[in-house]
């Protein structure tokens, strides 16, 4: 298996990684709170005409006027819990992006994963900014260029924030591969601005 790049600063244009956006203590508290409190769903998606449940749990939180078809399945839209609304306000102010939606992923263990994709849905606009906060187990995150062999892989630590902006979605795909031996869960918060 390819080793994760030791230096997360060597990411391509449009990706930037901040290790300690949240303290270890705060990250764990938030992890347990969200694991218990959110209304987790496991939507079904169609791949080549066949229906599958996705290999993770999800919760979609958004302002009331927002609707977002995620890979063809319409998720139930949940209101903002106070703690996530506060985080959204802070991130919006820091990054100068009016985040109005949040897709939360729960990877129950290393069997749960997310396949190669770009977050390039029309409703995210031309050069979307996505802020991705990780809580709980560390997971490997892979990035590959769409038209050449450029590949990167980094470890997303608990309390970290990965920002994707610029042409990161136009030019690259990303994925969260299975890690068969991993027993611990992880929650990922992806703040989005839907037009
Ligand atoms: O779990 C992750 O770090 C990636 C999530 C992701 O790519 C997405 O929600 O679009
Ligand atoms: Fe993504």
């Amino acid at each position: 298996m390819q080793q994760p790049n030791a230096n997360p600063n060597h990411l391509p244009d449009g990706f930037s990684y901040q290790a300690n956006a949240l303290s270890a203590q705060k990250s764990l508290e938030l992890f347990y709170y969200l694991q218990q409190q959110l209304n987790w769903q496991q939507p079904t998606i169609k791949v080549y005409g066949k229906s599958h449940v996705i290999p993770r749990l999800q919760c979609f939180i958004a302002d009331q006027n927002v609707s977002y078809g995620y890979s063809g399945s319409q998720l139930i839209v949940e209101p903002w819990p106070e703690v996530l609304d506060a985080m959204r306000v802070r991130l919006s102010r820091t990054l100068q992006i009016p985040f109005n939606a949040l897709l939360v992923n729960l990877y129950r263990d290393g069997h749960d994963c997310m396949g190669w994709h770009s977050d390039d849905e029309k409703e995210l606009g031309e050069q979307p900014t996505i802020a991705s906060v990780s809580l709980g187990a560390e997971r490997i995150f892979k990035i590959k260029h769409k038209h050449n062999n450029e590949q990167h892989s980094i470890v997303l630590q608990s309390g970290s924030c990965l920002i994707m902006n610029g042409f990161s979605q136009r030019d690259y795909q990303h994925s969260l591969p299975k890690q068969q031996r991993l027993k611990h869960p992880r929650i990922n918060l992806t703040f989005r601005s839907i037009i």
Side-chain angles (χ1 to χ4, degrees):
M1 195 173 73
Q2 191 189 346
Q3 286 303 305
N5 299 0
N7 186 350
N9 299 323
H10 289 161
L11 290 174
D13 275 0
F15 294 86
S16 64
Y17 179 76
Q18 189 195 346
N20 298 301
L22 296 177
S23 73
Q25 171 78 18
K26 176 96 209 212
S27 306
L28 269 195
E29 280 172 18
L30 187 56
F31 174 89
Y32 289 120
Y33 177 79
L34 298 175
Q35 190 185 32
Q36 295 195 349
Q37 296 297 321
L38 293 187
N39 180 20
W40 296 105
Q41 299 174 51
Q42 191 173 23
T44 300
I45 49 161
K46 265 201 171 155
V47 185
Y48 301 117
K50 247 184 109 181
S51 293
H52 302 267
V53 289
I54 62 166
R56 63 191 173 276
L57 304 185
Q58 284 187 329
C59 176
F60 184 65
I61 296 163
D63 292 354
Q64 276 184 0
N65 55 345
V66 166
S67 95
Y68 186 45
Y70 179 75
S71 295
S73 76
Q74 203 77 37
L75 284 160
I76 296 169
V77 181
E78 303 281 347
W80 292 89
E82 211 171 293
V83 62
L84 296 181
D85 189 40
M87 193 182 285
R88 173 262 285 263
V89 168
R90 276 204 311 278
L91 283 166
S92 292
R93 210 176 280 150
T94 311
L95 299 170
Q96 291 291 299
I97 300 290
F99 292 117
N100 57 7
L102 168 60
L103 182 67
V104 192
N105 295 296
L106 170 59
Y107 303 90
R108 294 159 291 184
D109 60 25
H111 295 278
D112 278 353
C113 61
M114 190 176 295
W116 287 110
H117 69 282
S118 305
D119 294 287
D120 57 0
E121 290 88 354
K122 259 206 315 289
E123 54 266 51
L124 292 172
E126 277 284 298
Q127 294 183 42
T129 295
I130 295 172
S132 168
V133 175
S134 293
L135 308 168
E138 293 185 350
R139 292 288 297 255
I140 295 169
F141 182 83
K142 295 195 165 194
I143 299 166
K144 71 172 182 193
H145 197 277
K146 288 185 186 174
H147 307 297
N148 61 39
N149 294 327
E150 183 187 344
Q151 278 230 30
H152 304 263
S153 119
I154 61 168
V155 173
L156 299 181
Q157 295 159 291
S158 190
S160 70
C161 183
L162 176 74
I163 310 289
M164 295 186 274
N165 59 17
F167 291 121
S168 54
Q169 308 301 330
R170 186 194 69 179
D171 296 343
Y172 294 89
Q173 291 191 318
H174 54 272
S175 70
L176 199 90
K178 284 189 203 281
Q179 292 178 243
Q180 298 286 1
R181 286 197 292 271
L182 176 71
K183 301 272 185 284
H184 301 292
R186 166 179 181 266
I187 287 175
N188 171 253
L189 308 166
T190 56
F191 292 86
R192 297 152 190 261
S193 179
I194 292 168
I195 302 158

